[in-house]
Amino acid sequence: MHEQDSTPTSTDRGRRGFLMGAAGLAATSVVAAPATLAQAASPASGARGPVGRRDQVTAAITHTGHRRLGSLKVSSIGLGTQTMPGNLYGPVTSRKDMVALVRTAFDQGVTFFDTAEAYGPFESERILGEALRTVRDDVVIASKFGWNIDPVTGANTGLNSRPDHIRQVVDGILKRLRTDHIDLLYQHRVDPTVPIEDVADTVKDLMAQGKVLHWGLSEPGLGTIRRAHAVLPLTAIQNEYSTLWRGPEEQVLPLCEELGIGFVCFSPLGTGFTTGTINPYTRFAEGDRRTAAPRNSRDNMAANMPLVQLLQDWAVRKGATPAQIDLAWLLAQKPWIVPIPSTTRLSHLLENIGAEEVRFSPDELQELNAAVARITIHGERLSPAGLALTGVEAPPR
């Protein structure tokens, strides 16, 4: 859908202006009142009187694109909710605001929502459950198992994908999401002590009970993908992927294409770096987990700024924002790739979903791909402990 002529029509130019306007909302409050958003999104509301800048932008940016992850139909840009509990990149305004933001995403056309028991822990699932309970049949919700989290204290003592534990976790997820089924259930990280065939068999049983509809893996080893898919066909692999981290291109994406598995990108904006909003002079808030990533050191961010400059140059060229260029670049790579940017701000939500308006001609995409490939990225994306959990192969059965 993105490999087409990019000459803007008058309608394209008008909507692109709204896209730029969405980015300009960053200086305003985090979320508008739900009633205001509903009115702005509904032309049939019969509203009278002048419409403010916020309402104009919100009403104009409606997400309409869809993609397939295997047989699962989702919006082409989803919403990640990892940051909504407020313990990842710093505190959020309120739980009420996060619930309103999720519902606004749905009102603007987003139908794919991503969460996990570990986010909070548990709180992200509760936010989604409250926000989407009245529209449950109109959305796709993905969650994840795989950690040994105390249901009372929230203490995480490591990986656990034993079958009995998976069943217990799924029951807890269903309760928090206020639903009777999980549309897409991932193993959050491969457990090196549990054969993936045992995991697949357990998920197969949960599918037979109607509790799970589709399943996937996050950051697995290549052999584990093949083994899991042979027992129970996978719908999606979820890994980090952006212009800042292109690791999946070497082996994971070709394997997904070979097996017909969709690919979901977390951190599609490089945890904020490719948006241009953080730089070598940024001082992260206390508790911000981005400080653990070597690529976010002052020296490495300085060395990686050519990528930000490239995205900014393309943003000017396409009448968009750097974040929209990065997301549009992902969408242009394969028709079965779906990014799930996480945000806690209305302005960023609108900016992200507006990325579907950015189009690259075949020549432009080739030019941009070549320019991205020429840039060397400095610093690992995760801490050593985090990296040790990626690309893991499950033991044989």
Side-chain angles (χ1 to χ4, degrees):
M1 89 183 224
H2 290 274
E3 295 184 4
Q4 54 184 281
D5 186 81
S6 62
T7 303
T9 65
S10 59
T11 301
D12 292 334
R13 286 191 294 267
R15 283 181 60 82
R16 192 64 47 77
F18 279 117
L19 303 187
M20 297 299 288
L25 286 175
T28 64
S29 60
V30 175
V31 288
T36 301
L37 294 172
Q39 184 181 45
S42 175
S45 63
R48 296 288 187 268
V51 180
R53 172 177 168 81
R54 171 187 293 279
D55 293 350
Q56 288 178 332
V57 173
T58 306
I61 302 176
T62 302
H63 188 63
T64 58
H66 290 87
R67 294 193 162 198
R68 293 275 181 182
L69 301 171
S71 62
L72 186 61
K73 183 180 180 181
V74 299
S75 54
S76 56
I77 297 175
L79 177 63
T81 61
Q82 186 177 14
T83 57
M84 289 187 177
N87 59 355
L88 188 69
Y89 297 164
V92 298
T93 50
S94 71
R95 186 175 188 275
K96 180 180 178 181
D97 281 344
M98 297 304 99
V99 170
L101 185 61
V102 169
R103 187 50 187 259
T104 299
F106 171 77
D107 291 340
Q108 300 305 116
V110 175
T111 62
F112 187 34
F113 297 86
D114 183 87
T115 185
E117 59 159 348
Y119 299 164
F122 311 130
E123 177 64 8
S124 172
E125 291 173 331
R126 295 189 183 105
I127 289 170
L128 279 187
E130 181 176 344
L132 300 175
R133 67 187 187 280
T134 62
V135 294
R136 179 62 186 93
D137 293 338
D138 300 315
V139 297
V140 172
I141 300 178
S143 194
K144 309 175 192 72
F145 67 87
W147 298 100
N148 200 43
I149 304 174
D150 189 293
V152 177
T153 67
N156 188 337
T157 56
L159 297 171
N160 187 347
S161 282
R162 293 191 299 271
D164 288 346
H165 184 71
I166 294 173
R167 295 186 182 96
Q168 293 173 2
V169 168
V170 165
D171 285 342
I173 291 173
L174 292 172
K175 186 175 182 179
R176 290 186 291 272
L177 289 176
R178 306 188 189 188
T179 186
D180 62 356
H181 68 280
I182 303 164
D183 298 288
L184 176 56
L185 180 68
Y186 296 100
Q187 183 187 43
H188 208 155
R189 291 292 184 271
V190 173
D191 188 332
T193 69
V194 180
I196 198 63
E197 292 83 359
D198 292 353
V199 176
D201 283 342
T202 303
V203 175
K204 186 184 296 186
D205 289 344
L206 292 167
M207 286 182 175
Q209 298 170 39
K211 294 181 178 181
V212 175
L213 303 187
H214 302 265
W215 88 299
L217 304 174
S218 183
E219 296 277 4
L222 298 173
T224 298
I225 294 175
R226 290 189 179 277
R227 289 165 53 197
H229 191 70
V231 177
L232 183 64
L234 292 159
T235 291
I237 298 298
Q238 184 179 132
N239 283 23
E240 181 175 355
Y241 186 34
S242 70
T243 54
L244 185 63
W245 168 248
R246 297 169 52 218
E249 294 176 354
E250 184 175 349
Q251 293 180 299
V252 176
L253 290 180
L255 181 57
C256 285
E257 188 159 34
E258 174 192 337
L259 299 178
I261 302 171
F263 188 86
V264 176
C265 320
F266 71 81
S267 297
L269 298 173
T271 65
F273 185 75
T274 62
T275 69
T277 58
I278 63 175
N279 57 56
Y281 302 100
T282 298
R283 293 296 174 263
F284 296 107
E286 184 177 354
D288 191 317
R289 296 187 189 179
R290 286 175 290 187
T291 58
R295 74 182 180 197
N296 287 328
S297 72
R298 185 169 183 172
D299 289 346
N300 283 332
M301 279 200 286
N304 293 334
M305 287 305 290
L307 175 62
V308 176
Q309 185 61 58
L310 174 67
L311 295 174
Q312 289 175 341
D313 291 345
W314 274 87
V316 172
R317 179 171 169 177
K318 302 297 288 183
T321 69
Q324 289 167 347
I325 296 297
D326 203 1
L327 292 172
W329 176 84
L330 283 169
L331 293 173
Q333 300 306 305
K334 298 290 181 180
W336 37 266
I337 288 177
V338 178
I340 49 168
S342 182
T343 186
T344 59
R345 297 187 180 186
L346 173 63
S347 58
H348 294 165
L349 169 67
L350 298 179
E351 181 183 3
N352 293 342
I353 65 177
E356 73 169 342
E357 293 297 312
V358 179
R359 303 288 196 272
F360 300 118
S361 70
D363 287 344
E364 285 177 329
L365 184 58
Q366 183 177 8
E367 179 186 351
L368 179 55
N369 281 340
V372 170
R374 286 194 295 268
I375 296 174
T376 299
I377 300 301
H378 299 260
E380 294 285 3
R381 64 190 177 107
L382 297 169
S383 67
L387 285 175
L389 297 171
T390 66
V392 174
E393 299 289 1
R397 180 148 71 175

